[in-house]
Amino acid sequence: MSPRKTSHQLSPEPSAPATGSRRGSSASPEKAPGPLSIPVVPEERDIIKVNNASATDLKNTCDDALKRYLSRSNLFKQIHLHTDVRLTLGWAGVFVATATGFYGWKADFEQSKPGVWAGFILYVVLTTLQTLYAYFVEGDIIFVGRRKTFSKRIVTERITISSRTIPVSSASSQPSPENAPSYSLTITYLQSTSGGKSLLAKNRTQGSKEYSAFFDEKGVMAQESFEGWLGVLVEAAMEGKTA
């Protein structure tokens, strides 16, 4: 009798994971470049020298340097809305005053009284509106910038910067590095998409530093130091961090 043949069942080998399988990705949109990632060529800087005894001159110089630094290519396009509104109201007042004066000169005195009074009242209204706008709306704002970037969708960034001088404390009569006028900035950063309908981020940061850190004893501005400090503040606002 022939021996019985037995069959061995081979267990299936474990299947290897399929290559090239697709997984869901939740990668965040590409980060827009900050000011520190776009260096300034030293040859592009001009020597800036001011009267370092005047806090007004120091502040205006820092304001101008800030606008130049943030308005560079691939950064923010400056929006001049506040300046345009003030200029429009100012020139409108000049036009009304000129037209009123010319009418009063050409027309008879008694006949021109109503028109002159109307022109005078309109001039006062325009001048008052200009003053109120500068004080309550514009305030300390020195820079408003906007930038659009594309990473899977169009993202709009808007930055608003206000500046002021923190004066020397009256408690001390002798200025010192610890008690000197300081340049203070408040930065508000908004990031939105869908034409501003969807808000992605809203951050705010503040920072201040003594003017002596940016100007030497002769009044020459250390632009690289100022730009580095400003760049850190702006990128902190963009990332929602505290500088």
Side-chain angles (χ1 to χ4, degrees):
M1 185 175 179
S2 60
R4 182 182 297 177
K5 295 181 179 180
T6 59
S7 61
H8 298 281
Q9 294 182 348
L10 299 177
S11 59
E13 296 181 358
S15 59
T19 59
S21 60
R22 183 177 298 176
R23 295 184 179 181
S25 174
S26 59
S28 59
E30 183 180 353
K31 178 184 174 183
L36 292 178
S37 63
I38 306 175
V40 179
V41 180
E43 289 75 14
E44 295 179 354
R45 296 192 183 99
D46 296 326
I47 297 177
I48 300 175
K49 186 175 182 180
V50 297
N51 177 15
N52 57 6
S54 171
T56 301
D57 289 349
L58 294 174
K59 179 185 180 300
N60 291 338
T61 302
C62 289
D63 289 347
D64 292 340
L66 181 149
K67 296 172 187 176
R68 287 194 302 270
Y69 182 65
L70 295 181
S71 298
R72 292 175 297 144
S73 177
N74 296 326
L75 287 178
F76 299 95
K77 180 180 179 181
Q78 186 173 1
I79 301 173
H80 301 278
L81 175 63
H82 295 309
T83 302
D84 293 342
V85 171
R86 286 191 292 104
L87 287 176
T88 300
L89 292 173
W91 279 109
V94 171
F95 175 78
V96 169
T98 303
T100 302
F102 181 77
Y103 174 72
W105 176 67
K106 292 290 290 183
D108 182 71
F109 177 74
E110 292 296 331
Q111 180 185 358
S112 64
K113 275 186 177 181
V116 170
W117 271 108
F120 173 74
I121 293 173
L122 182 57
Y123 172 78
V124 171
V125 170
L126 290 171
T127 304
T128 303
L129 287 176
Q130 183 187 35
T131 303
L132 293 176
Y133 183 89
Y135 186 80
F136 290 105
V137 180
E138 183 177 16
D140 295 328
I141 295 175
I142 59 165
F143 183 85
V144 179
R146 180 182 297 165
R147 174 174 65 175
K148 289 187 177 182
T149 56
F150 181 78
S151 179
K152 299 182 180 180
R153 54 185 172 179
I154 298 177
V155 176
T156 302
E157 300 168 282
R158 182 184 177 96
I159 187 169
T160 303
I161 302 179
S162 302
S163 73
R164 66 187 183 94
T165 295
I166 301 177
V168 177
S169 174
S170 58
S172 175
S173 58
Q174 292 293 333
S176 64
E178 294 77 17
N179 184 34
S182 300
Y183 186 63
S184 176
L185 292 179
T186 300
I187 303 175
T188 303
Y189 174 79
L190 298 176
Q191 189 181 58
S192 61
T193 187
S194 302
K197 297 179 181 178
S198 178
L199 184 63
L200 302 178
K202 182 178 181 180
N203 305 322
R204 180 186 177 94
T205 189
Q206 293 178 321
S208 62
K209 202 163 189 178
E210 296 80 9
Y211 284 114
S212 57
F214 308 134
F215 298 89
D216 62 16
E217 63 277 1
K218 296 181 180 179
V220 178
M221 185 178 191
Q223 299 177 59
E224 189 172 354
S225 299
F226 177 79
E227 292 164 0
W229 173 75
L230 173 61
V232 170
L233 280 180
V234 171
E235 293 196 357
M238 294 173 64
E239 298 172 5
K241 299 178 180 178
T242 302

